[in-house]
Amino acid sequence: MIFYGLLGAVTIALACLVDNRASCCAKAVGGMGMTRRQACSCAALFTLFLVLAGTAALRIDVGNDYGNYVNTFHEIYVGGYVVTEPGFNWLVRFLFLLSGGENYLLVFGLFAVVTAVIFLKAMYDQSVDFTLSFALFMLLGLYFRTFNTVRYYFVLAVTLYSLRYVLKREYGKFVLLILLAALFHKSVLVVIPLYLIAALPWKKWQVALGAAFAVSLPLFQGFWMKVVLWLYPSYQNTVYLQKETGLEGSLMGIIRCAAVLVLGLFAYRETIKENRANLFYFKLNLLGLALYTCASFLPLVSRFGYYLITAHVLLVPGILMGMPDEAPEPGGASALRLLKKGAGKKKKVMFLLTAAFCLLYFAYFLLTAHQEGVRVLPYHSWIFTEKEWLNGSFIF
């Protein structure tokens, strides 16, 4: 727990040095090359990548499904039956062929690197303030959850990156990217209709129809469960169907969505109403809240919910940075200046309440991170692990 707390503090401090308003590769005026500030930003960003990818790649037996994945890797290698997608299976076979054996650490390491790169790239390119987005990425526990279900969090990073294509109305690129991601986790296909629905201009009759559909979910649970199992048959006859998630299991997702909803309504006129990107992310949050509250009976509803609420790392900075200042700062404000004298009072209050909520959320996450379904605590690294564990004898 102390390690994760220090990791969060150190990485957020590093993120304060990253300025995504000017590209690391941008040239200074007069053609003198990269400025000192840009060089510092680029170095901090690269250091963040090393820390995030390194921590994830060096872990062993961290995550509730780590051992299951090792078993899956073995079955893929020997040609056994697996339910994982073909793209994932091909990649595992290729890496094992490349390394000359069942080197599962290589597979975990590769996914750690690629997932970190995509998340950082998405936040750097698409957020109005990288520092705030990264702080949310850490404090909401999103980074630490990537230690679980590596192929799912890989495609989750891809969906965050894909939002740019929806906003640019480049729907062909969006669909193609999601179809490629589905080769690693087919549940990602659900974002194609959901993201396109959120991108539409909602009319009153459409909102009423959507509300009626949401209400039908808990009223006709048996029917909708059959629909889900038809779309995702690998859940059939599994322990997931024996777990009653309920509202209690979706509580933290509901709290997150509700908090973002309140924040958005508090500043809707100033930051969302006329801002296409923020409005799109805000609609995704509404869909996420509806899913968590009305479809909590579905197995692993959080997997579908995270496709909708991961955009919080882009929406919340968009709201906070979009609030007007009493004395606008030349060149634009940044997260480090939110509490300065020139910032508006409403903006300061919103920032402080958001920071308090995120810190409490992070504390709760750390207190529950050892439980079944998460199990990212305690942290172990294969660097300090006995050789017997590394050769797979704990599984085979």
Side-chain angles (χ1 to χ4, degrees):
M1 185 183 299
I2 295 176
F3 173 69
Y4 285 174
L6 289 174
L7 182 64
V10 170
T11 53
I12 292 173
L14 277 171
C16 291
L17 302 176
V18 178
D19 181 10
N20 65 322
R21 293 175 299 171
S23 172
C24 289
C25 298
K27 300 298 181 181
V29 176
M32 298 301 292
M34 187 180 293
T35 66
R36 182 177 299 180
R37 183 176 183 181
Q38 290 167 348
C40 179
S41 177
C42 193
L45 187 63
F46 182 67
T47 304
L48 279 176
F49 160 71
L50 291 179
V51 173
L52 297 184
T55 302
L58 294 177
R59 77 188 190 282
I60 194 167
D61 195 26
V62 177
N64 66 304
D65 55 359
Y66 193 98
N68 291 334
Y69 262 105
V70 175
N71 271 329
T72 300
F73 297 157
H74 174 70
E75 291 300 323
I76 292 172
Y77 183 69
V78 299
Y81 173 76
V82 292
V83 298
T84 48
E85 289 74 9
F88 180 76
N89 299 339
W90 295 334
L91 179 61
V92 171
R93 291 192 189 99
F94 173 74
L95 292 176
F96 281 2
L97 177 64
L98 199 65
S99 61
E102 297 183 56
N103 190 344
Y104 60 86
L105 294 177
L106 179 61
V107 181
F108 284 120
L110 178 63
F111 274 94
V113 168
V114 176
T115 302
V117 167
I118 298 175
F119 268 122
L120 289 173
K121 175 68 173 173
M123 290 186 287
Y124 185 85
D125 289 349
Q126 296 161 235
S127 176
V128 297
D129 191 277
F130 177 84
T131 301
L132 285 176
S133 289
F134 185 83
L136 290 165
F137 179 65
M138 299 300 292
L139 295 178
L140 296 180
L142 184 55
Y143 166 67
F144 301 104
R145 290 183 183 277
T146 63
F147 296 173
N148 282 313
T149 321
V150 292
R151 72 188 204 283
Y152 170 77
Y153 281 95
F154 161 69
V155 301
L156 183 65
V158 172
T159 62
L160 185 67
Y161 185 86
S162 74
L163 295 177
R164 69 182 65 203
Y165 297 124
V166 180
L167 289 171
K168 293 178 181 178
R169 296 187 174 92
E170 296 177 352
Y171 300 121
K173 292 181 180 179
F174 163 67
V175 172
L176 179 60
L177 186 60
I178 297 304
L179 290 178
L180 290 174
L183 294 174
F184 293 85
H185 206 292
K186 60 188 173 184
S187 68
V188 74
L189 292 173
V190 74
V191 308
I192 295 178
L194 289 177
Y195 286 7
L196 295 180
I197 288 172
L200 292 172
W202 288 1
K203 299 179 180 179
K204 291 183 180 180
W205 69 268
Q206 293 171 326
V207 174
L209 185 63
F213 173 75
V215 171
S216 75
L217 292 174
L219 292 179
F220 304 101
Q221 293 185 18
F223 170 76
W224 290 115
M225 183 68 78
K226 290 180 182 178
V227 172
V228 170
L229 291 178
W230 176 73
L231 294 172
Y232 210 88
S234 59
Y235 280 149
Q236 191 74 50
N237 301 320
T238 65
V239 295
Y240 297 125
L241 296 181
Q242 301 171 10
K243 296 180 180 180
E244 296 184 2
T245 304
L247 289 176
E248 183 180 352
S250 301
L251 184 59
M252 294 311 295
I254 294 173
I255 291 175
R256 270 183 61 178
C257 291
V260 172
L261 175 63
V262 171
L263 182 70
L265 293 176
F266 197 60
Y268 186 84
R269 179 175 57 85
E270 298 95 332
T271 66
I272 295 178
K273 186 177 181 180
E274 303 298 331
N275 187 305
R276 186 167 176 267
N278 285 349
L279 182 60
F280 173 54
Y281 303 146
F282 187 72
K283 289 177 181 177
L284 289 179
N285 181 68
L286 290 175
L287 293 175
L289 181 60
L291 182 68
Y292 277 118
T293 53
C294 298
S296 58
F297 62 91
L298 293 176
L300 298 180
V301 66
S302 63
R303 289 193 178 182
F304 301 102
Y306 261 83
Y307 288 133
L308 298 168
I309 68 174
T310 301
H312 287 171
V313 300
L314 303 176
L315 174 60
V316 174
I319 293 174
L320 293 177
M321 303 308 297
M323 289 298 294
D325 292 318
E326 293 176 359
E329 180 187 344
S334 70
L336 296 177
R337 299 179 177 88
L338 279 173
L339 297 180
K340 274 197 168 185
K341 187 176 181 180
K345 184 177 180 180
K346 187 176 180 180
K347 188 174 187 176
K348 290 180 182 179
V349 172
M350 291 170 60
F351 175 75
L352 290 173
L353 290 176
T354 301
F357 175 85
C358 290
L359 289 172
L360 288 173
Y361 193 99
F362 186 54
Y364 176 81
F365 170 77
L366 291 180
L367 290 173
T368 58
H370 65 284
Q371 295 179 358
E372 181 183 357
V374 184
R375 212 178 70 78
V376 295
L377 277 176
Y379 180 82
H380 299 290
S381 172
W382 51 262
I383 295 178
F384 308 108
T385 304
E386 293 182 7
K387 205 169 184 179
E388 287 75 13
W389 218 101
L390 294 178
N391 65 22
S393 61
F394 76 105
I395 291 293
F396 312 119

